[in-house]
Amino acid sequence: MKKTFIIIAGLVVLAGLVALAIYLAGKKSSDDLSSLFRGEVDSFPLDDGTDLDIYSIKHGSVAINVSDKWIYVDPVTTAALPETDFSVMPKADYILFTHDHYDHFDTLAVKQLSKDGTIILANASSIDKLGYGCSLSNGESYTTAEGWTVDAVPAYNNSPEKLQFHPKGRDNGYVLSFDGVRIYIAGDTEVIPELEEIKDIDIAFLPCNLPYTMTPEQCAEAARIVSPRVLFPYHYGGSDIETDLQALIDLLEGSGIEVRIRQYA
């Protein structure tokens, strides 16, 4: 009887060690993850004592890790440089697309990031191209199994010379609400009246490039309206017109908004 008990106990311990080894093999450290992305990780504490981590990928592509869940926004492989192999990155629990332009929407990225249960949230034209997923229009919301909310908000051009790029009502920005942290990911937009309705934002991603979205002056104006604690200007590459990010930093000096420059060229 005693011998049987020892054997069973040994098997239980062995099973536990195997499970731990498998868990550790699959769980990457922050340093390991940073090597897959570009630049440093930005960590923000949640109310439950855990951290929300944001990784820059490029251009309009962002990765968020919270509670071991991975959220990717506008992942693209080759449309924006450098070329990105998403197959080596953590699989996605959620993929969000703001719109279906080539530098924001990519079916190959979806294929590389998807696993069983991956949820796609996007505007209608992106869902039409992909053929599946959850379509969100401006003003609609999605609540995840974790209790987080994704609010689709307007994103469009309102300067006369840019109206052909992003018409009103087609594309999305997103407000992501976690446990004590709200993130505004603007997509391709300008200083539109609906910004006044976006409140209590901790972290904002605002596009800053010509000729498609905002100048540094417009981006600073939008930031003052939304008033995040931290601003990440992004989407500032992909054209022949160089974006003066230092001008944006100077314009927001003394505003109380921390501007963080990451690799979103």
Side-chain angles (χ1 to χ4, degrees):
M1 180 71 177
K2 184 176 180 181
K3 183 177 180 181
T4 301
F5 175 79
I6 292 173
I7 292 173
I8 293 173
L11 290 174
V12 170
V13 171
L14 179 61
L17 291 173
V18 171
L20 178 62
I22 292 172
Y23 171 78
L24 292 176
K27 187 175 179 64
K28 294 179 179 293
S29 69
S30 294
D31 289 341
D32 291 336
L33 291 171
S34 294
S35 69
L36 295 178
F37 299 99
R38 300 174 69 197
E40 62 192 282
V41 57
D42 289 277
S43 296
F44 300 88
L46 300 178
D47 286 348
D48 65 3
T50 62
D51 286 338
L52 178 151
D53 296 331
I54 298 177
Y55 297 86
S56 63
I57 301 177
K58 59 183 177 183
H59 195 60
S61 302
V62 184
I64 300 170
N65 180 240
V66 54
S67 299
D68 289 328
K69 301 292 184 181
W70 282 92
I71 303 167
Y72 291 84
V73 182
D74 288 353
V76 294
T77 53
T78 60
L81 296 176
E83 183 172 339
T84 305
D85 180 6
F86 286 97
S87 67
V88 302
M89 295 185 182
K91 296 301 183 184
D93 295 281
Y94 301 93
I95 300 174
L96 280 59
F97 289 112
T98 58
H99 61 297
D100 66 355
H101 283 177
Y102 74 99
D103 57 335
H104 291 262
F105 174 82
D106 184 0
T107 56
L108 177 57
V110 172
K111 181 179 180 180
Q112 291 179 346
L113 285 169
S114 290
K115 62 181 181 179
D116 288 343
T118 296
I119 294 172
I120 312 292
L121 304 173
N123 71 322
S125 60
S126 297
I127 295 299
D128 287 345
K129 285 187 174 182
L130 187 60
Y132 61 94
C134 178
S135 176
L136 292 177
S137 299
N138 296 170
E140 294 184 333
S141 297
Y142 179 91
T143 301
T144 72
E146 297 79 13
W148 308 324
T149 58
V150 179
D151 298 315
V153 298
Y156 61 92
N157 290 116
N158 58 355
S159 295
E161 70 276 12
K162 302 176 188 176
L163 296 179
Q164 72 274 22
F165 297 133
H166 308 96
K168 185 175 182 179
R170 187 193 66 186
D171 304 340
N172 290 337
Y174 295 107
V175 175
L176 312 180
S177 298
F178 301 96
D179 187 12
V181 172
R182 280 167 57 83
I183 304 174
Y184 172 43
I185 300 178
D188 283 5
T189 195
E190 291 188 72
V191 183
I192 56 177
E194 291 88 347
L195 292 182
E196 298 283 357
E197 302 170 15
I198 297 174
K199 307 289 186 183
D200 303 318
I201 298 300
D202 298 290
I203 304 158
F205 287 82
L206 296 177
C208 187
N209 77 325
L210 289 174
Y212 307 109
T213 60
M214 293 191 279
T215 65
E217 291 75 18
Q218 288 177 307
C219 192
E221 182 183 354
R224 289 181 182 274
I225 294 170
V226 175
S227 191
R229 291 190 293 112
V230 177
L231 167 65
F232 293 98
Y234 81 144
H235 195 289
Y236 51 80
S239 77
D240 295 331
I241 304 174
E242 185 175 350
T243 299
D244 186 357
L245 293 177
Q246 185 59 51
L248 174 62
I249 295 171
D250 294 342
L251 287 164
L252 289 174
E253 185 175 356
S255 66
I257 299 171
E258 179 187 352
V259 181
R260 298 189 187 181
I261 305 301
R262 299 294 183 257
Q263 295 295 323
Y264 289 108

